[in-house]
Amino acid sequence: MIIARTIQELQASLQEFEKEGKDIGFVPTMGFLHEGHMELVKESKIKTDKTVMSIFVNPLQFGPNEDFDRYPRDEEKDIQLARNEGVDLLFLPTVEEMYPNGNLTINMVVTKRTDVLCGKSRPGHFDGVATVVAKLFQLIRPQLAFFGLKDAQQVAVIHALVEDYHFPIEIVPVPTVREHDGLAKSSRNVYLSDQERLEAPYLYKALQKGREAILKGDSISGIRDYLTAYIENHTSGEVDYLEIYSYPDLEMVIEDQQPVIIAVAVKFSQARLIDNIIITQKS
Ligand code: AMP
């Protein structure tokens, strides 16, 4: 596995791949790798010749009171995991390498799909995501890029980015990888206390109940209230949001319009967890 820490090193390796006529698959991450990330790599290895992974904790997508400084990092272990999984090229830029003058002159602003869910509770987050992903797409020029549906709103935004700005890149959404008890794998799970870790699977249990209720045709507002209460009764976390929208537009559900997403964010003492389920109803 080649490790590139600078844009120059990255591009030198990419040129070699290009010369050999290889298809590039790109897996952007913030590191502290787990099996969720590895699933994206596996998909990329199936579908492309060379897999490029980036690990970059992007300050632009963190709000002033969010966890940028204490976001978990373990470069040595990440390098090992990426190598074992067969990543061909690992891009590990510094903040200075990605934002050489501190801030960029031009930032992306996402104008749709972000007034709800994480976009609402994390203002500016998706502007930061779109900006860094646009930069990485420009640098790496992959044919395919792999994103996890655990961050379904992010997938919706990236689809729009590619469409609006004509990136010749196919976005491949990858289903959420879960622990045996249903908890979605996440770098932030390490911040759960033992008790919270026992409670956290109730997010997914709630989503599954929500799926049944949607398929049964229960009212959206009734399902929302029931699931919010269900999570509050089974965990010590605070429900930041639990919403049901059309997917990927993330607008109010009109009867029988499909697919729909049930998305939840819960704040525990040291970690804010998100999860979702996308339901394609019978017509
Ligand atoms: P992150 O490092 O959290 O920014 O995640 C990098 C990529 O991995 C994103 O596309 C995430 O959606 C994806 N990802 C994170 N957790 C999971 C998971 N449990 N299952 C599938 N993909 C995931």
Side-chain angles (χ1 to χ4, degrees):
M1 182 177 77
I2 304 161
I3 295 176
R5 292 185 183 272
T6 65
I7 289 169
Q8 210 180 3
E9 288 166 4
L10 173 75
Q11 294 196 316
S13 295
L14 287 168
Q15 264 168 24
E16 289 305 310
F17 294 166
E18 228 160 77
K19 260 193 241 157
E20 297 164 16
K22 303 293 188 194
D23 267 0
I24 307 284
F26 176 41
V27 178
T29 81
M30 298 202 299
F32 213 68
L33 301 176
H34 52 69
E35 285 165 45
H37 300 111
M38 293 316 165
E39 194 62 28
L40 307 189
V41 173
K42 285 190 180 113
E43 278 295 309
S44 174
K45 289 187 69 69
I46 291 169
K47 292 192 160 75
T48 66
D49 304 320
K50 293 283 181 189
T51 294
V52 180
M53 174 187 270
S54 63
I55 296 180
F56 180 58
V57 184
N58 172 34
L60 223 59
Q61 70 192 66
F62 287 78
N65 297 317
E66 292 183 0
D67 56 350
F68 173 71
D69 286 327
R70 61 178 200 94
Y71 192 83
R73 294 160 167 92
D74 190 341
E75 188 183 286
E76 215 172 298
K77 190 170 163 209
D78 283 350
I79 290 173
Q80 218 169 51
L81 287 170
R83 183 177 285 127
N84 291 349
E85 202 63 50
V87 169
D88 296 287
L89 172 55
L90 181 62
F91 183 41
L92 293 170
T94 58
V95 172
E96 172 66 14
E97 188 70 13
M98 292 299 283
Y99 304 116
N101 305 312
N103 288 321
L104 301 175
T105 311
I106 299 169
N107 280 351
M108 292 269 170
V109 177
V110 186
T111 54
K112 284 188 196 159
R113 304 183 174 184
T114 53
D115 54 341
V116 296
L117 310 179
C118 286
K120 189 173 172 191
S121 48
R122 303 184 68 188
H125 169 68
F126 287 110
D127 297 346
V129 169
T131 302
V132 79
V133 170
K135 276 173 77 73
L136 290 166
F137 280 178
Q138 279 297 123
L139 287 170
I140 293 164
R141 295 184 307 277
Q143 279 68 45
L144 274 69
F146 298 82
F147 289 85
L149 280 169
K150 165 161 180 294
D151 301 286
Q153 190 170 20
Q154 175 168 277
V155 172
V157 167
I158 300 301
H159 271 301
L161 174 73
V162 163
E163 211 171 292
D164 286 359
Y165 286 86
H166 314 284
F167 284 100
I169 298 172
E170 182 189 335
I171 302 303
V172 183
V174 177
T176 302
V177 177
R178 300 179 178 281
E179 303 286 355
H180 65 281
D181 56 9
L183 173 63
K185 289 191 183 258
S186 165
S187 306
R188 289 186 171 101
N189 289 351
V190 292
Y191 289 130
L192 297 170
S193 69
D194 290 350
Q195 175 58 29
E196 289 170 339
R197 176 63 189 83
L198 293 174
E199 298 166 359
Y202 278 96
L203 273 69
Y204 187 50
K205 285 186 186 157
L207 295 172
Q208 287 172 304
K209 285 185 181 296
R211 171 167 34 207
E212 280 168 34
I214 294 264
L215 293 174
K216 237 170 60 195
D218 293 353
S219 85
I220 296 293
S221 66
I223 299 172
R224 217 169 34 211
D225 293 347
Y226 170 70
L227 297 183
T228 303
Y230 179 84
I231 291 174
E232 283 175 350
N233 289 335
H234 286 89
T235 76
S236 54
E238 181 197 333
V239 176
D240 184 7
Y241 62 72
L242 189 145
E243 298 288 354
I244 302 173
Y245 290 115
S246 64
Y247 191 82
D249 292 332
L250 301 178
E251 289 169 355
M252 248 174 57
V253 178
I254 301 163
E255 199 119 3
D256 284 341
Q257 180 193 330
Q258 289 312 324
V260 301
I261 182 169
I262 311 177
V264 64
V266 177
K267 279 184 188 159
F268 288 93
S269 57
Q270 301 295 320
R272 179 178 172 281
L273 302 189
I274 60 170
D275 201 350
N276 71 79
I277 205 166
I278 295 171
I279 303 146
T280 308
Q281 266 199 76
K282 57 205 178 298
S283 49

